[in-house]
Amino acid sequence: MLKHCPLALALLALAACGDDKKPAGNPNDGDDAGEETTVDAARPDSGRPTDATTPPRDADEPNVPEDSGTPPADTGTPDSGLPPITCDASKAPTVPALKLEAVPGVGSLDKLVFAAQPPGSSDWYLVQQTGQVRVLSNGALKAGNFLDVSSEIQLSNIGDDERGLLGLAFAPDYATSGKLYVMMTPTRGGNANRDSLIEYTRTGETAGMPKDIVRLPASESNHNGGNMVFDADGLMYVGTGDGGGACNNNGESGGAQDPKSLFGKILRLDLKNAAGNYAAAGNPFTAPAGDPRVLHYGLRNPYRFGLDRRTGDLYIGDVGQDDFEEVDFAPADAKGLNFGWPTYEGTQMGTCGNKPLNPGSTATPPIVHIPRKSGQFADYKSVIGSAPYRGSAIAGLQGVLLFGDYVGARYQALVQCGDDTSAVTIFLRERNANMPNVPGFTRAAGVSAITSLVAIVQGSDDELYLVANRNTLLKVVPGT
């Protein structure tokens, strides 16, 4: 959408300001995208640069610098009995040959936006933006819907409507408790634009009755967040958008920069042990200075993010507005990080004019800053984050973070070692014979070309899966 275009009414805003060339469900209202052809994968020790610093590279060449000779770092591991994690951020990772295979039985589901597996289960729960959750078991879709909230979902017929049923997560003890959680924008309560985290308890073959966990105040029709993850201690991390509108212009006082507001945040909740509002013990804010559910702030729309299952670190894909996409990093022990929006977009200050930081805070710069107005990332619209690969099937990919864009043709990979971020390796969503030196996905027989990427998820097998084209689920496997 055109920058700074008001979005008070979803239909009028999308019709007047929308880019009708974008696929449905785009979690971004920025119209264009960054100004340069560089990728800044450096995370400065202090302060925040005003521009990208990594020299531009030829779009046809992989971003793999020479080995600096620096030995790999041992980052340790939680008390899991697993061997220590070692990583090397002195050079861009080598992306091995990768192939995409269709997960059998999915078929073509309308407006598929997410997929998740209960812990230890091989079943897939497939989330449709229109309000349905279908169960894929033993290679076939079960009859009927596990969950159907379509009567509570208000979507316009404009392709970029960001509302609806957006994400799903299972409690770590789902096998016994039956508890699962969804993020959605229900019409229940008389308003279609209240982003909500809702708990269900499984009853037989359906989701059971809803229970509100978090309901944000009424806001604009976009920037709805939608992602939730659990850590090893059973705490839930929830991403919320800034309330919508250009430059955080949602009428909420302070918005993303205000710790008292739930907009533009990562929330950390204890759903089993905390009374009242479920704020997890150890969160950085207490009333009245801030909402005790808030862990990190200063985000625009953390639509898709991931948690490293080995370290507990967060990798947050934050969708940009006009110029930049970014990936933010929050170590497991970090609290109260301010990622800068709307004072900063990526590493750039001033996109939104005079928008001050929360008094007394310092902006934490992104580990990746992606200019998207020209050059090789000019097709970027909305960054899709994930978590580092911790599977075993793909040799050479362990510890590597893969991330992409909703419609961009180039995906990226990096390694994070403590505070050190590697250079970025660029690879293609479709292997190109004219670029033999650039890694990229190949496709198994019957797999259609990817035109949009909605989520990168980890299965219960720790392998990576892509929710693609808003209708299919693909598994990432070793290629040749």
Side-chain angles (χ1 to χ4, degrees):
M1 297 180 184
L2 299 177
K3 65 179 180 178
H4 311 316
C5 183
L7 291 170
L9 298 175
L11 290 172
L12 292 177
L14 288 167
C17 311
D19 178 354
D20 59 9
K21 296 181 181 179
K22 292 185 288 184
N26 183 12
N28 176 34
D29 76 351
D31 58 332
D32 308 308
E35 297 174 342
E36 307 164 40
T37 60
T38 61
V39 177
D40 183 359
R43 186 170 184 260
D45 293 330
S46 62
R48 181 187 280 252
T50 58
D51 204 349
T53 57
T54 303
R57 304 184 64 85
D58 190 313
D60 294 346
E61 293 298 324
N63 186 1
V64 184
E66 295 298 321
D67 190 340
S68 68
T70 304
D74 184 346
T75 64
T77 182
D79 296 331
S80 61
L82 297 171
I85 296 171
T86 59
C87 63
D88 183 3
S90 66
K91 57 183 179 180
T94 299
V95 175
L98 299 174
K99 186 178 181 179
L100 297 175
E101 292 182 347
V103 174
V106 176
S108 181
L109 290 178
D110 184 45
K111 293 183 172 59
L112 183 66
V113 292
F114 199 72
Q117 290 183 305
S121 173
S122 61
D123 289 349
W124 282 101
Y125 288 65
L126 306 173
V127 179
Q128 296 174 265
Q129 187 182 6
T130 46
Q132 299 85 6
V133 175
R134 299 289 304 275
V135 179
L136 178 71
S137 183
N138 296 319
L141 286 172
K142 289 187 176 182
N145 297 308
F146 176 75
L147 174 68
D148 186 355
V149 292
S150 56
S151 63
E152 297 188 46
I153 299 298
Q154 179 177 321
L155 292 174
S156 72
N157 60 2
I158 304 298
D160 284 336
D161 199 324
E162 298 173 23
R163 299 169 296 174
L165 183 60
L166 301 173
L168 180 150
F170 294 95
D173 63 352
Y174 176 75
T176 55
S177 72
K179 293 188 182 300
L180 66 149
Y181 302 85
V182 300
M183 282 286 283
M184 60 182 290
T185 53
T187 56
R188 179 163 44 91
N191 191 288
N193 298 324
R194 290 189 64 170
D195 303 332
S196 300
L197 169 65
I198 300 172
E199 176 186 277
Y200 288 88
T201 301
R202 182 191 64 232
T203 301
E205 295 296 315
T206 60
M209 297 300 293
K211 175 184 176 182
D212 287 340
I213 301 298
V214 177
R215 292 192 75 200
L216 275 66
S219 63
E220 302 288 352
S221 64
N222 57 350
H223 306 180
N224 307 109
N227 216 84
M228 305 148 289
V229 295
F230 281 95
D231 69 10
D233 296 322
L235 302 181
M236 176 189 271
Y237 298 74
V238 182
T240 67
D242 68 359
C247 285
N248 200 186
N249 186 25
N250 60 7
E252 294 294 322
S253 177
Q257 280 298 309
D258 184 358
K260 297 186 292 295
S261 166
L262 293 182
F263 288 109
K265 306 296 189 293
I266 298 293
L267 312 180
R268 186 169 65 169
L269 308 177
D270 186 341
L271 300 170
K272 292 189 68 173
N273 304 308
N277 62 9
Y278 304 103
N283 283 356
F285 300 104
T286 56
D291 191 298
R293 292 168 287 187
V294 171
L295 180 64
H296 304 301
Y297 64 112
L299 295 160
R300 183 176 179 271
N301 190 16
Y303 177 65
R304 296 293 180 231
F305 63 90
L307 182 141
D308 189 332
R309 294 181 175 180
R310 291 290 303 276
T311 67
D313 299 333
L314 286 173
Y315 294 79
I316 306 165
D318 194 19
V319 177
Q321 178 165 290
D322 298 320
D323 298 330
F324 301 98
E325 300 295 313
E326 68 181 80
V327 176
D328 298 305
F329 174 68
D333 59 355
K335 301 175 184 178
L337 297 183
N338 180 357
F339 293 110
W341 174 259
T343 310
Y344 292 93
E345 181 189 10
T347 61
Q348 175 177 275
M349 177 185 276
T351 293
C352 293
N354 185 24
K355 294 276 189 176
L357 289 174
N358 181 42
S361 70
T362 301
T364 298
I367 58 172
V368 179
H369 155 102
I370 307 167
R372 57 175 180 82
K373 271 194 172 173
S374 62
Q376 58 186 329
F377 301 113
D379 58 355
Y380 267 42
K381 295 294 183 185
S382 305
V383 66
I384 301 296
S386 67
Y389 177 70
R390 297 298 180 192
S392 59
I394 306 174
L397 200 64
Q398 283 78 9
V400 175
L401 176 74
L402 301 183
F403 59 98
D405 182 80
Y406 185 63
V407 293
R410 287 171 170 81
Y411 294 177
Q412 301 180 55
L414 61 81
V415 173
Q416 185 74 27
C417 296
D419 289 335
D420 298 326
T421 307
S422 75
V424 170
T425 296
I426 297 170
F427 65 105
L428 304 175
R429 70 181 182 194
E430 183 79 27
R431 190 79 180 266
N432 189 329
N434 295 322
M435 302 182 195
N437 296 325
V438 183
F441 288 119
T442 56
R443 293 183 280 125
V447 174
S448 299
I450 295 179
T451 57
S452 64
L453 175 69
V454 192
I456 304 172
V457 300
Q458 291 174 293
S460 56
D461 58 2
D462 289 331
E463 299 303 321
L464 293 178
Y465 296 79
L466 309 185
V467 182
N469 298 347
R470 294 176 53 76
N471 63 11
T472 192
L473 181 64
L474 305 174
K475 184 176 184 179
V476 182
V477 300
T480 56

